[in-house]
């Protein structure tokens, strides 16, 4: 169980700039605060991944990319 909480602590202090949370402070947090912060951060990670995937898809489907593809491979 401690290992799981250390993983949560690591995620929070590395992802939230300026959190300034010491390990001692983290152990003194109540479980609701810890759980809420952790769940919010996981939701943000999911949204960031979705946005990244959408950006990648739009790059491949843009008209410029389609034109370039046709120019490079259309005659084969």
């Amino acid at each position: 169980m401690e290992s799981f909480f250390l993983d949560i602590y690591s995620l929070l202090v590395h992802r939230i700039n300026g959190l300034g949370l010491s390990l001692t402070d983290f152990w003194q947090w109540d479980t609701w605060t810890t759980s809420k912060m952790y769940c919010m951060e996981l939701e943000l990670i999911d949204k960031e991944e979705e946005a990244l995937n959408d950006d990648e898809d739009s790059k491949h489907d843009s008209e410029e990319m389609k034109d370039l593809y046709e120019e490079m491979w259309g005659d084969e």
Side-chain angles (χ1 to χ4, degrees), residues 18-64:
L19 183 61
L21 185 66
S22 72
L23 190 53
T24 302
D25 293 338
F26 176 76
W27 287 125
Q28 293 175 357
W29 265 7
D30 63 276
T31 54
W32 185 89
T33 302
T34 303
S35 176
K36 183 66 174 174
M37 293 289 291
Y38 180 64
C39 289
M40 288 171 50
E41 210 50 42
L42 291 179
E43 288 175 13
L44 287 173
I45 290 170
D46 287 342
K47 288 179 182 178
E48 290 168 358
E49 287 178 352
E50 287 175 14
L52 180 63
N53 288 337
D54 289 344
D55 287 346
E56 288 297 317
D57 291 343
S58 66
K59 285 181 188 175
H60 297 294
D61 294 339
S62 71
E63 288 301 317
E64 291 174 348

Side-chain angles (χ1 to χ4, degrees), residues 9-24:
Y9 171 76
S10 178
L11 177 96
L12 293 176
V13 297
H14 286 99
R15 288 216 14 117
I16 303 174
N17 292 331
L19 183 61
L21 185 66
S22 72
L23 190 53
T24 302

